[in-house]
Amino acid sequence: MVLERLLSPTQAGLVTATGGQEMLDLLCKEQFDLVLLDHVMPQPDGLEAFRMAHTMEGNLNLSTPFVALTGNDMRAEGADPSLSPREATRAYYKGEGFADYLPKPVLPEDVEKLLLALLPPGKVTRNEPEATKAAPAAPRKRGLFAKIQEMTGEDGGEGADGTMAQAAVPAEASAPLDAARGLAFSGGDTEMYKQLLKNWADAYMENGYTIQKSAKEGDLAKHRIATHSLKSSSRMVGAMILGDLAEKAEHASRDGDLEYVRANVAALLEAYGKAVEAASDYLAN
Protein backbone atom coordinates (compact mmCIF):
# COMPACT_ATOMS: atom_id res chain seq x y z
CA MET A 1 0.00 0.00 0.00
CA VAL A 2 2.80 2.42 0.87
CA LEU A 3 4.67 1.82 -2.36
CA GLU A 4 1.51 2.03 -4.45
CA ARG A 5 0.64 5.41 -2.91
CA LEU A 6 4.19 6.74 -3.13
CA LEU A 7 4.44 5.69 -6.78
CA SER A 8 1.04 7.05 -7.80
CA PRO A 9 2.42 10.48 -8.86
CA THR A 10 4.80 8.75 -11.29
CA GLN A 11 1.98 7.14 -13.32
CA ALA A 12 3.95 3.90 -13.27
CA GLY A 13 2.09 0.72 -14.11
CA LEU A 14 2.22 -1.55 -11.07
CA VAL A 15 1.64 -5.28 -10.70
CA THR A 16 1.65 -6.75 -7.19
CA ALA A 17 2.18 -10.27 -5.90
CA THR A 18 1.37 -11.64 -2.46
CA GLY A 19 4.39 -13.92 -2.25
CA GLY A 20 7.37 -15.52 -3.96
CA GLN A 21 5.50 -18.18 -5.90
CA GLU A 22 2.99 -15.71 -7.33
CA MET A 23 5.90 -13.52 -8.44
CA LEU A 24 7.53 -16.47 -10.20
CA ASP A 25 4.31 -17.15 -12.08
CA LEU A 26 4.06 -13.50 -13.16
CA LEU A 27 7.64 -13.46 -14.43
CA CYS A 28 6.67 -16.07 -17.02
CA LYS A 29 3.67 -14.07 -18.23
CA GLU A 30 4.97 -10.50 -18.54
CA GLN A 31 8.22 -8.60 -18.97
CA PHE A 32 8.80 -5.91 -16.34
CA ASP A 33 11.15 -2.93 -16.16
CA LEU A 34 11.88 -3.43 -12.46
CA VAL A 35 11.03 -5.89 -9.69
CA LEU A 36 10.88 -4.90 -5.99
CA LEU A 37 11.13 -8.06 -3.92
CA ASP A 38 10.68 -8.38 -0.17
CA HIS A 39 13.16 -10.68 1.57
CA VAL A 40 11.54 -12.21 4.65
CA MET A 41 8.35 -14.03 3.60
CA PRO A 42 6.94 -17.52 4.07
CA GLN A 43 8.60 -20.00 1.73
CA PRO A 44 9.91 -19.29 -0.73
CA ASP A 45 11.41 -16.19 0.82
CA GLY A 46 12.63 -13.36 -1.36
CA LEU A 47 16.22 -14.55 -1.67
CA GLU A 48 15.16 -18.09 -2.56
CA ALA A 49 12.55 -16.80 -5.02
CA PHE A 50 15.21 -14.58 -6.64
CA ARG A 51 17.50 -17.58 -7.15
CA MET A 52 14.65 -19.71 -8.48
CA ALA A 53 13.68 -16.96 -10.92
CA HIS A 54 17.09 -17.01 -12.56
CA THR A 55 17.20 -20.77 -13.04
CA MET A 56 13.60 -21.53 -14.09
CA GLU A 57 12.52 -21.97 -17.68
CA GLY A 58 10.15 -19.47 -19.25
CA ASN A 59 11.28 -16.44 -17.25
CA LEU A 60 10.81 -13.36 -19.43
CA ASN A 61 12.76 -11.19 -16.99
CA LEU A 62 16.28 -12.61 -16.91
CA SER A 63 17.72 -9.16 -17.66
CA THR A 64 15.26 -7.23 -15.45
CA PRO A 65 16.86 -5.55 -12.41
CA PHE A 66 15.66 -6.93 -9.08
CA VAL A 67 15.74 -4.79 -5.94
CA ALA A 68 15.67 -6.31 -2.46
CA LEU A 69 13.03 -4.59 -0.33
CA THR A 70 13.84 -5.21 3.31
CA GLY A 71 14.27 -3.86 6.79
CA ASN A 72 17.06 -6.35 7.44
CA ASP A 73 20.59 -5.42 8.42
CA MET A 74 22.48 -7.93 6.29
CA ARG A 75 26.23 -8.01 6.81
CA ALA A 76 28.10 -10.60 4.81
CA GLU A 77 30.80 -12.51 6.67
CA GLY A 78 34.06 -10.64 6.30
CA ALA A 79 32.29 -7.43 5.22
CA ASP A 80 34.30 -4.22 5.29
CA PRO A 81 33.93 -2.90 8.89
CA SER A 82 34.21 0.67 7.64
CA LEU A 83 30.86 0.37 5.84
CA SER A 84 27.71 1.70 7.47
CA PRO A 85 24.92 -0.86 8.11
CA ARG A 86 23.09 0.43 5.03
CA GLU A 87 26.20 0.25 2.83
CA ALA A 88 27.01 -3.24 4.13
CA THR A 89 23.45 -4.38 3.46
CA ARG A 90 23.57 -3.01 -0.07
CA ALA A 91 26.88 -4.81 -0.64
CA TYR A 92 25.35 -8.06 0.62
CA TYR A 93 22.39 -7.97 -1.77
CA LYS A 94 24.50 -6.86 -4.70
CA GLY A 95 26.77 -9.79 -3.93
CA GLU A 96 23.74 -12.05 -4.25
CA GLY A 97 22.98 -10.60 -7.69
CA PHE A 98 20.41 -7.91 -6.90
CA ALA A 99 20.74 -4.59 -8.70
CA ASP A 100 20.24 -2.69 -5.44
CA TYR A 101 18.23 -2.70 -2.23
CA LEU A 102 15.53 -0.45 -0.80
CA PRO A 103 15.46 -0.15 3.01
CA LYS A 104 12.24 -0.22 5.01
CA PRO A 105 10.60 1.95 6.17
CA VAL A 106 10.56 3.29 2.63
CA LEU A 107 11.21 6.98 2.06
CA PRO A 108 9.99 8.82 -1.07
CA GLU A 109 13.44 10.14 -1.92
CA ASP A 110 14.91 6.62 -1.82
CA VAL A 111 12.29 5.38 -4.25
CA GLU A 112 12.92 8.30 -6.60
CA LYS A 113 16.68 7.70 -6.68
CA LEU A 114 16.08 4.02 -7.35
CA LEU A 115 13.70 4.64 -10.26
CA LEU A 116 16.01 7.18 -11.86
CA ALA A 117 18.98 4.82 -11.54
CA LEU A 118 17.37 1.59 -12.73
CA LEU A 119 14.48 2.35 -15.06
CA PRO A 120 15.24 2.53 -18.81
CA PRO A 121 15.86 6.21 -19.70
CA GLY A 122 13.04 6.13 -22.24
CA LYS A 123 10.57 5.27 -19.49
CA VAL A 124 11.32 8.36 -17.38
CA THR A 125 9.94 11.82 -18.12
CA ARG A 126 10.45 14.63 -15.65
CA ASN A 127 7.60 17.13 -15.93
CA GLU A 128 8.37 20.77 -15.24
CA PRO A 129 5.67 23.30 -14.25
CA GLU A 130 4.36 25.51 -17.04
CA ALA A 131 5.70 29.06 -17.09
CA THR A 132 3.27 31.70 -15.86
CA LYS A 133 3.21 35.49 -15.92
CA ALA A 134 3.00 35.67 -12.16
CA ALA A 135 5.97 36.70 -10.08
CA PRO A 136 8.36 33.82 -9.50
CA ALA A 137 7.49 31.80 -6.43
CA ALA A 138 9.99 30.30 -4.04
CA PRO A 139 11.74 27.42 -5.79
CA ARG A 140 10.15 24.02 -5.31
CA LYS A 141 11.81 20.66 -5.60
CA ARG A 142 10.83 19.07 -8.89
CA GLY A 143 10.98 15.54 -10.17
CA LEU A 144 9.07 12.33 -9.83
CA PHE A 145 7.93 13.14 -6.31
CA ALA A 146 7.09 16.81 -6.69
CA LYS A 147 3.52 16.17 -5.62
CA ILE A 148 4.59 14.36 -2.46
CA GLN A 149 7.06 17.10 -1.58
CA GLU A 150 4.30 19.67 -1.93
CA MET A 151 2.00 17.62 0.28
CA THR A 152 4.61 17.48 3.03
CA GLY A 153 4.97 21.26 2.91
CA GLU A 154 8.71 21.15 2.23
CA ASP A 155 8.31 24.25 0.08
CA GLY A 156 6.42 26.14 2.79
CA GLY A 157 3.22 25.97 0.73
CA GLU A 158 -0.14 24.34 1.17
CA GLY A 159 -0.68 20.77 2.24
CA ALA A 160 -2.74 18.16 0.39
CA ASP A 161 -6.01 19.47 1.89
CA GLY A 162 -5.37 23.09 0.90
CA THR A 163 -4.38 24.24 4.37
CA MET A 164 -0.99 25.56 5.29
CA ALA A 165 1.35 22.73 6.18
CA GLN A 166 2.48 22.68 9.79
CA ALA A 167 5.93 21.68 10.92
CA ALA A 168 6.03 18.26 12.52
CA VAL A 169 6.78 18.28 16.23
CA PRO A 170 9.03 15.38 17.22
CA ALA A 171 7.60 13.05 19.82
CA GLU A 172 9.36 12.24 23.06
CA ALA A 173 11.88 9.44 22.75
CA SER A 174 9.82 7.33 25.18
CA ALA A 175 6.49 7.87 23.39
CA PRO A 176 4.91 4.62 22.12
CA LEU A 177 3.88 6.34 18.87
CA ASP A 178 5.72 9.07 16.96
CA ALA A 179 2.96 10.14 14.57
CA ALA A 180 5.16 12.80 12.96
CA ARG A 181 7.69 10.12 11.99
CA GLY A 182 4.95 7.86 10.67
CA LEU A 183 3.45 10.69 8.65
CA ALA A 184 6.84 11.34 7.06
CA PHE A 185 7.06 7.70 5.97
CA SER A 186 3.64 8.17 4.35
CA GLY A 187 4.96 11.02 2.25
CA GLY A 188 3.02 13.57 4.29
CA ASP A 189 -0.30 12.11 3.15
CA THR A 190 -2.49 12.30 6.27
CA GLU A 191 -5.26 10.08 4.92
CA MET A 192 -2.77 7.47 3.82
CA TYR A 193 -1.15 7.52 7.26
CA LYS A 194 -4.49 7.14 9.02
CA GLN A 195 -5.39 4.17 6.83
CA LEU A 196 -2.01 2.53 7.44
CA LEU A 197 -2.29 3.16 11.17
CA LYS A 198 -5.81 1.69 11.29
CA ASN A 199 -4.75 -1.40 9.34
CA TRP A 200 -1.74 -1.83 11.62
CA ALA A 201 -3.81 -1.43 14.81
CA ASP A 202 -6.56 -3.76 13.54
CA ALA A 203 -3.99 -6.55 13.13
CA TYR A 204 -3.05 -6.42 16.82
CA MET A 205 -5.10 -9.37 18.07
CA GLU A 206 -4.11 -11.74 15.27
CA ASN A 207 -0.43 -10.77 15.25
CA GLY A 208 -0.18 -10.73 19.04
CA TYR A 209 -1.68 -14.22 19.22
CA THR A 210 0.80 -15.52 16.62
CA ILE A 211 3.76 -13.98 18.45
CA GLN A 212 2.67 -15.36 21.82
CA LYS A 213 1.78 -18.82 20.50
CA SER A 214 4.99 -19.24 18.49
CA ALA A 215 7.09 -18.27 21.53
CA LYS A 216 5.20 -20.72 23.77
CA GLU A 217 5.53 -23.57 21.27
CA GLY A 218 9.15 -22.78 20.43
CA ASP A 219 8.38 -22.23 16.74
CA LEU A 220 11.26 -19.87 16.05
CA ALA A 221 10.70 -19.78 12.28
CA LYS A 222 7.14 -18.52 12.72
CA HIS A 223 8.21 -16.15 15.51
CA ARG A 224 10.91 -14.68 13.28
CA ILE A 225 8.51 -13.96 10.41
CA ALA A 226 5.89 -12.47 12.76
CA THR A 227 8.36 -10.20 14.57
CA HIS A 228 10.08 -9.20 11.34
CA SER A 229 6.74 -8.07 9.95
CA LEU A 230 5.93 -6.27 13.19
CA LYS A 231 9.32 -4.53 13.14
CA SER A 232 8.84 -3.09 9.67
CA SER A 233 5.16 -2.19 9.97
CA SER A 234 5.65 -0.59 13.40
CA ARG A 235 8.46 1.63 12.21
CA MET A 236 6.41 2.56 9.16
CA VAL A 237 3.63 3.99 11.36
CA GLY A 238 6.04 5.58 13.86
CA ALA A 239 5.96 3.00 16.68
CA MET A 240 9.73 3.11 16.94
CA ILE A 241 10.18 1.60 20.42
CA LEU A 242 8.04 -1.38 19.45
CA GLY A 243 9.97 -1.70 16.20
CA ASP A 244 13.25 -1.94 18.11
CA LEU A 245 11.87 -4.59 20.48
CA ALA A 246 10.50 -6.59 17.56
CA GLU A 247 13.90 -6.44 15.86
CA LYS A 248 15.59 -7.90 18.96
CA ALA A 249 13.02 -10.72 19.03
CA GLU A 250 13.54 -11.32 15.31
CA HIS A 251 17.31 -11.58 15.71
CA ALA A 252 16.93 -13.92 18.71
CA SER A 253 14.65 -16.14 16.64
CA ARG A 254 17.12 -16.16 13.77
CA ASP A 255 19.95 -17.08 16.15
CA GLY A 256 17.98 -19.87 17.84
CA ASP A 257 17.81 -18.09 21.20
CA LEU A 258 14.51 -19.48 22.48
CA GLU A 259 15.37 -18.46 26.04
CA TYR A 260 15.46 -14.79 25.04
CA VAL A 261 12.27 -15.11 23.01
CA ARG A 262 10.29 -16.57 25.89
CA ALA A 263 11.78 -14.24 28.51
CA ASN A 264 10.91 -11.12 26.52
CA VAL A 265 7.68 -11.93 24.71
CA ALA A 266 5.54 -10.43 27.51
CA ALA A 267 7.42 -7.10 27.33
CA LEU A 268 7.10 -7.11 23.54
CA LEU A 269 3.34 -7.65 23.68
CA GLU A 270 2.95 -5.02 26.41
CA ALA A 271 4.75 -2.47 24.22
CA TYR A 272 2.58 -3.58 21.29
CA GLY A 273 -0.55 -2.92 23.33
CA LYS A 274 0.60 0.54 24.41
CA ALA A 275 1.43 1.49 20.82
CA VAL A 276 -1.99 0.31 19.61
CA GLU A 277 -3.68 2.34 22.38
CA ALA A 278 -1.73 5.41 21.26
CA ALA A 279 -2.76 4.74 17.67
CA SER A 280 -6.41 4.49 18.69
CA ASP A 281 -6.16 7.81 20.53
CA TYR A 282 -4.57 9.47 17.50
CA LEU A 283 -7.27 8.16 15.15
CA ALA A 284 -10.04 9.19 17.55
CA ASN A 285 -8.73 12.74 17.81
Side-chain angles (χ1 to χ4, degrees), residues 5-267:
R5 292 290 290 269
L6 290 182
L7 287 168
S8 61
T10 72
Q11 300 181 13
L14 306 178
V15 177
T16 59
T18 58
Q21 186 56 56
E22 185 178 349
M23 179 205 71
L24 293 173
D25 295 339
L26 286 169
L27 294 180
C28 295
K29 297 177 181 178
E30 186 175 350
Q31 185 173 8
F32 300 97
D33 295 308
L34 185 66
V35 175
L36 303 180
L37 180 59
D38 203 346
H39 184 165
V40 179
M41 302 183 291
Q43 295 298 320
D45 70 13
L47 191 55
E48 184 180 354
F50 173 77
R51 292 167 178 163
M52 293 168 65
H54 289 82
T55 58
M56 71 178 184
E57 295 183 6
N59 181 4
L60 303 177
N61 295 271
L62 291 175
S63 61
T64 300
F66 280 66
V67 174
L69 176 64
T70 182
N72 282 349
D73 178 356
M74 302 293 292
R75 299 169 190 254
E77 186 175 348
D80 185 347
S82 67
L83 296 177
S84 68
R86 184 164 175 170
E87 291 170 335
T89 300
R90 174 172 284 109
Y92 172 85
Y93 283 108
K94 284 194 169 185
E96 291 290 337
F98 285 85
D100 208 335
Y101 106 105
L102 189 61
K104 292 191 292 185
V106 178
L107 291 171
E109 55 266 31
D110 289 337
V111 182
E112 177 173 6
K113 290 177 184 177
L114 190 79
L115 296 181
L116 292 174
L118 296 179
L119 284 179
K123 295 292 181 77
V124 178
T125 301
R126 303 189 72 142
N127 295 324
E128 297 295 335
E130 295 183 2
T132 65
K133 295 181 180 180
R140 290 183 173 186
K141 295 182 180 180
R142 287 291 158 188
L144 295 173
F145 285 89
K147 183 182 293 186
I148 288 177
Q149 290 165 334
E150 290 170 11
M151 286 193 298
T152 61
E154 288 185 5
D155 56 356
E158 293 181 348
D161 59 358
T163 60
M164 295 302 293
Q166 296 181 358
V169 179
E172 295 180 7
S174 59
L177 181 71
D178 184 344
R181 181 82 65 92
L183 187 60
F185 287 132
S186 294
D189 186 332
T190 303
E191 291 307 312
M192 175 182 172
Y193 177 60
K194 287 180 178 179
Q195 186 61 59
L196 282 173
L197 194 61
K198 183 178 185 304
N199 292 349
W200 174 83
D202 287 348
Y204 168 63
M205 294 301 294
E206 181 179 353
N207 288 346
Y209 175 77
T210 299
I211 289 170
Q212 186 175 44
K213 186 171 185 288
S214 59
K216 181 179 180 180
E217 295 180 350
D219 189 339
L220 292 178
K222 183 174 289 187
H223 196 78
R224 180 189 178 191
I225 290 174
T227 52
H228 172 85
S229 176
L230 180 62
K231 172 191 72 177
S232 298
S233 61
S234 297
R235 287 173 174 168
M236 179 63 71
V237 299
M240 310 308 291
I241 294 174
L242 177 59
D244 291 345
L245 291 175
E247 181 176 32
K248 291 177 181 179
E250 177 197 3
H251 288 177
S253 302
R254 178 197 63 194
D255 298 338
D257 191 349
L258 181 58
E259 182 178 356
Y260 177 93
V261 166
R262 287 178 169 166
N264 290 276
V265 67

